Amino acid sequence: MGDGKHSPLTEPMLYVLMAFLRQERCGTEITQFVSDKTGGRVRLGPGTLYTLLGKFQEEKLIEETQVDGRKRTYRLTHLGRTVYEEEVERLRSCLRDAEEELL
Amino acid sequence: MKKTALSITPFGGYDIPGLEGWLSAKAAKGFRFTDAAGPLTVFTRTEPEPVQVHLEPIRGAVQEDPEANAIYQESGWQYWGMFRSSFYVYASTDLDARAHTDPEVWDDALKTFFRQKVITGILLLWANVLLLGLYRQGISWEWDFTWLRWFPVETLSNGTIIPFLLALAGFFLIDLAYLLGLIHLARYRRAVRNGSKTRSRRGVGWLMAAGLLILLPVLVNTAQLYFGMDYRPYPLEGSGFVTLTDIEGEDFSLSGDPMYNMDRIDYGGTLLRPERWYFQQYASFPQYGDVDLNAVPRLELTAVRYPMAVLAEMRAEEWSRQRKNGSLDFEILAPDHGLDEIFYAPRKGGSAVTASGATREFLPGGVLILRRGNTVLHVNYYGHQDLTEHLESFAHMLEGL
């Protein structure tokens, strides 16, 4: 279970966590992932990404696996996955409520 | 044309929009940011280029962060350097580029930065207390402020009041600049959260620069004290100082106690305390029993060199208003032997019966105050010789200081 203090996540936070779901990544690959995933809808500024990597690492949502020159590679932790899944569930719930009202 | 240029940073150290705007404007004029330390910012001359500058708060250790640089570079930003120990400076030629695209994350970064700077502020306050406490120890306010009125040069050259007052003024300006910086940072954070804008205030950086400028001599003075540079005694032999033997004659017997018969000249001085010399000699006296030191011939010399002759002149005048253990009023003698001023107060000898019925003898002698340029010498002598007969020797001694 997550600790609840991370919810709700902002879009950039959600997409940065999403980037680590299937593979380890270094910071510079994440911007491209978010841009590709959202078709450019979500813009991830370098300051935002840099701050998020530090914050997520501090909060143990991701952990560093490799340092290669200027590149640092991270992977999602168990806590990070739980926080991500809880956020997805929250969004699903929001979406269900929203769709019910549309009917 | 010089490749680098220096400028005093006009904005507060944590005024992010103000600093970003200033660095962008400088780049547009052909001055690219290179480094910033204290109140100064260093620029390299380049071709004028319209850029957008972003200051990213440094997290953790104050060193270049290759990962941050790589992330920024990937998005088209160029790393320019570190602004003090607070920010990484990045620039982009894309004037619409945004370094932070999530206000919540930016707010979070600013919150962490603000906390770091509050802790630094507490350390700054601690430095205030330490430095002010160091010089406050040597000050007796009641005593000094009464004396400050009547004997300003003597009081201000005691080595504690000037550093204390300078430290007080310097820290006031620095603390004020720091506090204004924190207030500005808090306002900027609120503006980021609300999506509004803040107004930058030019001039806060000048406060800090002025404070550091005032504090600089105090820091140098403190370092001199710390490394013992304020006390540099040298041997009496070869010093050119007039001794009790010179006055009383070769056969005169001096005390064997090194405390009463100095074999060295106490000498010292720092940036904020004038150069000073001190030397004393006593005639021999019994080491045991009821010894009255007033009855022992002695010579005490104190010299001070001021940065300006007018201060030495004032000090001579202040000394001439002080009576020393029964000395009479000072008379002004005509300048001679290259001396600019000569004050002389003879002392009458005699004896008196104390409350216990014992007879105490008081030696005659006198006090001489001599000034040569910016150096003033105070001679206090107890004995039967006439001090004025040795004016030439004292003048020669002053010349050699």
Side-chain angles (χ1 to χ4, degrees):
Chain A
M1 285 291 287
D3 48 18
K5 73 176 181 183
H6 298 96
S7 187
L9 298 176
T10 62
E11 265 193 313
M13 290 178 189
L14 182 73
Y15 278 100
V16 169
L17 282 183
M18 193 189 295
F20 293 112
L21 271 180
R22 294 189 180 170
Q23 65 181 84
E24 296 180 358
R25 287 183 198 272
C26 66
T28 50
E29 294 167 345
I30 297 168
T31 314
Q32 195 57 47
F33 168 83
V34 175
S35 180
D36 291 347
K37 194 77 184 171
T38 64
R41 184 182 61 80
V42 174
R43 292 178 65 198
L44 193 60
T48 300
L49 177 58
Y50 172 67
T51 307
L52 279 179
L53 288 175
K55 178 182 160 73
F56 285 168
Q57 205 184 356
E58 210 169 88
E59 293 172 349
K60 302 201 181 332
L61 302 186
I62 60 171
E63 61 190 6
E64 194 179 279
T65 56
Q66 198 185 334
V67 181
D68 182 15
R70 303 206 308 171
K71 284 187 175 180
R72 285 172 188 269
T73 308
Y74 304 92
R75 70 174 166 217
L76 204 60
T77 62
H78 179 70
L79 177 64
R81 178 174 281 274
T82 307
V83 167
Y84 177 80
E85 285 170 353
E86 282 181 357
E87 180 63 10
V88 170
E89 188 49 48
R90 188 187 70 80
L91 289 172
R92 269 198 200 110
S93 171
C94 283
L95 197 59
R96 265 199 309 272
D97 294 341
E99 282 177 342
E100 271 176 24
E101 289 302 310
L102 275 176
L103 294 175
Chain B
M1 192 167 70
K2 278 187 180 176
K3 284 186 177 176
T4 56
L6 279 176
S7 183
I8 290 179
T9 313
F11 291 93
Y14 310 132
D15 183 351
I16 295 175
L19 289 170
E20 286 177 345
W22 180 62
L23 295 178
S24 299
K26 292 292 263 186
K29 290 176 185 169
F31 296 95
R32 203 185 93 158
F33 170 83
T34 308
D35 200 359
L40 296 174
T41 303
V42 186
F43 296 94
T44 306
R45 284 181 187 269
T46 54
E47 286 299 311
E49 188 181 25
V51 291
Q52 179 192 178
V53 170
H54 169 67
L55 300 183
E56 183 66 39
I58 294 176
R59 282 197 323 247
V62 181
Q63 57 189 28
E64 206 175 302
D65 187 336
E67 186 192 31
N69 295 350
I71 290 171
Y72 268 89
Q73 197 176 0
E74 193 74 13
S75 300
W77 293 77
Q78 195 183 359
Y79 174 68
W80 275 5
M82 275 191 281
F83 190 92
R84 296 181 190 151
S85 53
S86 297
F87 304 105
Y88 298 123
V89 180
Y90 295 100
S92 171
T93 49
D94 178 0
L95 300 182
D96 295 322
R98 299 268 303 280
H100 278 271
T101 47
D102 185 340
E104 196 170 314
V105 175
W106 185 214
D107 175 51
D108 198 64
L110 291 173
K111 184 173 78 180
T112 307
F113 183 66
F114 184 81
R115 283 180 182 164
Q116 283 173 8
K117 294 307 162 189
V118 168
I119 292 168
T120 310
I122 292 168
L123 293 176
L124 178 66
L125 278 178
W126 182 236
N128 281 225
V129 171
L130 277 183
L131 199 61
L132 289 172
L134 176 73
Y135 290 108
R136 172 69 185 84
Q137 280 176 356
I139 298 174
S140 160
W141 289 109
E142 196 181 339
W143 186 87
D144 277 319
F145 279 110
T146 308
W147 275 64
L148 191 59
R149 184 177 171 195
W150 300 106
F151 305 104
V153 177
E154 181 179 350
T155 312
L156 290 175
S157 58
N158 69 0
T160 50
I161 289 192
I162 288 180
F164 181 81
L165 293 177
L166 286 178
L168 201 65
F171 273 129
F172 172 75
L173 293 176
I174 291 170
D175 292 352
L176 182 64
Y178 199 91
L179 188 66
L180 289 173
L182 285 182
I183 290 171
H184 209 281
L185 188 59
R187 280 187 184 158
Y188 179 58
R189 226 191 112 199
R190 197 165 57 217
V192 166
R193 280 202 303 266
N194 301 338
S196 58
K197 288 194 171 182
T198 49
R199 280 181 60 192
S200 294
R201 290 200 186 278
R202 229 181 154 88
V204 175
W206 287 95
L207 279 181
M208 187 187 164
L212 279 172
L213 197 66
I214 292 171
L215 207 57
L216 195 63
V218 184
L219 297 176
V220 172
N221 194 73
T222 310
Q224 287 178 316
L225 289 174
Y226 182 78
F227 292 110
M229 291 159 74
D230 61 318
Y231 181 63
R232 307 187 291 278
Y234 57 87
L236 169 66
E237 200 177 327
S239 67
F241 266 61
V242 176
T243 64
L244 202 53
T245 312
D246 295 330
I247 295 172
E248 299 283 356
E250 284 298 325
D251 297 333
F252 192 74
S253 179
L254 295 169
S255 168
D257 187 328
M259 195 177 115
Y260 293 101
N261 181 10
M262 290 168 63
D263 58 355
R264 67 183 190 282
I265 306 297
D266 279 355
Y267 168 71
T270 60
L271 184 64
L272 298 176
R273 186 173 192 186
E275 271 183 286
R276 64 195 187 282
W277 293 260
Y278 179 79
F279 170 68
Q280 70 169 9
Q281 272 187 326
Y282 276 67
S284 65
F285 57 87
Q287 290 288 311
Y288 304 101
D290 185 18
V291 180
D292 179 11
L293 287 177
N294 280 324
V296 180
R298 68 177 186 271
L299 176 69
E300 188 184 32
L301 304 178
T302 307
V304 190
R305 177 175 290 148
Y306 288 93
M308 288 181 290
V310 66
L311 294 175
E313 199 178 331
M314 287 171 72
R315 181 67 190 269
E317 191 274 330
E318 287 175 15
W319 256 333
S320 73
R321 280 189 273 121
Q322 296 172 28
R323 287 190 172 194
K324 290 274 180 182
N325 301 332
S327 63
L328 303 176
D329 286 338
F330 279 89
E331 53 184 293
I332 299 171
L333 306 184
D336 199 2
H337 308 297
L339 295 165
D340 298 307
E341 282 182 292
I342 304 170
F343 295 87
Y344 178 58
R347 185 188 289 114
K348 277 186 179 174
S351 59
V353 179
T354 63
S356 61
T359 304
R360 292 280 191 204
E361 189 190 347
F362 295 95
L363 284 173
V367 178
L368 258 181
I369 299 164
L370 311 174
R371 182 178 72 82
R372 181 188 166 90
N374 58 350
T375 309
V376 62
L377 171 69
H378 185 280
V379 182
N380 192 12
Y381 166 70
Y382 291 82
H384 297 281
Q385 307 302 319
D386 182 359
L387 263 188
T388 55
E389 286 179 9
H390 300 275
L391 271 175
E392 192 174 355
S393 304
F394 285 117
H396 187 65
M397 173 195 145
L398 260 179
E399 193 181 353
L401 287 181

